[in-house]
Amino acid sequence: MTLAPPTVGDVLAAQHRLAGHVVRTPASRYAELDRLVATAGAAGTRLVVKHENLQHTGAFKVRGALNLLATRTTTPAGVVGYSTGNHAQALAYAARRAGVRCTIVMPSAPNPLKERAVRALDAEVVLHGERLEDACEEATRIAATTGADLVSAADEPALVAGAATATLELLQQEPDLDDLVVPVGGGSGAAAACLVAAALAPHVRVVGVQSAASPAAHDSWRTGELCARPNRTRAEGLAVGRGFTLTQGVLRAHLHDFLLVTDDQISRAQQMYLTAARTVAEGAGAASLAAVAAHPERFAGRTVGVMCSGGNAGAGELRRALDHTCATAP
Ligand SMILES: *Cc1c(COP(=O)(O)O)cnc(C)c1O
């Protein structure tokens, strides 16, 4: 099956559809954060933080899920998804609003915060296997036996169109960006950013970021082939072990560059958000900032949008971030 990516018309329609149902999240500047990345070597970089950590369910994914369920007819068996957490919460949230049954398969040791949130949204939770890929297999099996509609983590044009409303909003708020750095798991958020920038702001360079501990999308983009790779990052939103057809096609056409960061650099970026921007970011949410701090020479003197994609950080991960020490710690 070949899936066509959404058009900018689909994205504008999604923005209209979602108006009043999603938070128009702030796009904020923080002098102290700019000072920290200048210390790391990115002199004169002006950061603009797009605060999807303040979105309903604490991540941008709800934009895609609401758009998907608003544009799709489902069977009485409802929808079944697989996720390490934020896609799960988003789908459960959207399903409850639409009055649709929702089953979520999560890998067996999920972030307890995310698992609780999904259950609180009345979704049926199935814990299965160790990695996202195991959960995907189980979700596929459940869809086949119950007739429920399987929602992919990334190969869904309606998810991409919904996610794209975050970038559209950011460009409306900050038309003068030079770069936009977006974290990548399955790639829906980054593909969305690419489509919007290519159509409406072609001067903006969209840069993807992954954890080096889960580099499947990065390697798929570099090699031009869909790759499976080890999937060991602590940042759940980035914990994906393979490339996806739809999103990779878009990234190949439009992504300017793709950077890797370590999980420790992500922890350090979470600390920077906490101390310099009063912002709770989960690991995936801090990955864009980590990329700017880790590759400062690329961003010096530029106005850089960093997608703070989610804020669902557990206590342990925040403690680790605050305890993190490195040469440039304040
Ligand atoms: C899912 C997620 C990502 C990655 O998004 P993809 O669309 O899967 O690439 C990044 N950050 C957060 C917080 C997420 O939940």
Side-chain angles (χ1 to χ4, degrees):
M1 181 175 58
T2 43
L3 289 167
T7 64
V8 76
D10 296 328
V11 179
L12 290 165
Q15 189 178 49
H16 186 69
R17 200 175 284 129
L18 298 183
H21 302 289
V22 296
V23 181
R24 189 173 169 86
T25 58
S28 308
R29 297 178 182 234
Y30 301 92
E32 184 60 13
L33 208 52
D34 289 355
R35 196 190 61 75
L36 283 182
V37 300
T39 313
T45 300
R46 295 163 302 276
L47 293 173
V48 177
V49 179
K50 179 60 172 164
H51 275 292
E52 286 296 295
N53 59 315
L54 303 178
Q55 188 51 264
H56 295 314
T57 75
F60 78 95
K61 289 224 173 61
V62 79
R63 294 173 181 268
L66 285 169
N67 192 49
L68 182 102
L69 284 183
T71 53
R72 189 183 281 196
T73 357
T74 51
T75 71
V79 289
V80 52
Y82 53 95
S83 165
T84 55
N86 285 338
H87 177 54
Q89 283 188 74
L91 203 56
Y93 179 92
R96 189 165 74 169
R97 287 190 63 113
V100 167
R101 282 184 60 179
C102 178
T103 308
I104 297 291
V105 188
M106 301 176 90
S108 320
N111 174 334
L113 181 81
K114 293 181 179 178
E115 184 190 355
R116 263 200 312 279
V118 175
R119 291 191 193 275
L121 289 164
D122 303 330
E124 187 182 331
V125 175
V126 177
L127 299 180
H128 184 90
E130 222 183 305
R131 308 268 165 213
L132 185 65
E133 288 61 43
D134 307 316
C136 173
E137 275 178 30
E138 180 63 9
T140 309
R141 197 193 60 75
I142 291 172
T145 51
T146 64
D149 189 2
L150 179 69
V151 178
S152 164
D155 278 343
E156 300 281 357
L159 282 188
V160 176
T165 63
T167 298
L168 184 57
E169 231 174 69
L170 173 59
L171 292 174
Q172 289 160 347
Q173 292 162 315
E174 286 279 351
D176 295 328
L177 293 184
D178 297 313
D179 302 299
L180 172 57
V181 188
V182 188
V184 183
S188 69
C194 283
L195 289 169
V196 172
L200 303 176
H203 60 280
V204 175
R205 302 193 310 200
V206 180
V207 175
V209 190
Q210 251 189 337
S211 165
S214 296
H218 170 273
D219 291 3
S220 298
W221 186 76
R222 294 254 173 235
T223 60
E225 316 255 336
L226 294 183
C227 307
R229 285 291 181 268
N231 179 10
R232 304 203 176 95
T233 178
R234 292 192 296 255
E236 297 107 23
L238 308 181
V240 177
R242 68 177 176 95
F244 287 80
T245 316
L246 173 67
T247 52
Q248 281 292 327
V250 175
L251 296 181
R252 240 168 254 149
H254 299 295
L255 191 71
H256 176 78
D257 202 359
F258 206 143
L259 304 174
L260 291 175
V261 292
T262 66
D263 279 9
D264 280 349
Q265 287 169 330
I266 288 176
S267 283
R268 166 70 183 135
Q270 287 179 281
Q271 184 190 59
M272 290 164 71
Y273 269 131
L274 285 166
T275 59
R278 306 174 293 279
T279 293
V280 174
E282 63 184 281
S288 296
L289 178 60
V292 175
H295 301 272
E297 68 293 344
R298 291 162 180 271
F299 301 101
R302 301 174 66 83
T303 302
V304 182
V306 283
M307 190 58 79
C308 182
S309 51
N312 293 312
E317 128 179 49
L318 291 175
R319 213 170 286 126
R320 186 187 308 111
L322 281 171
D323 287 345
H324 192 79
T325 47
C326 75
T328 56

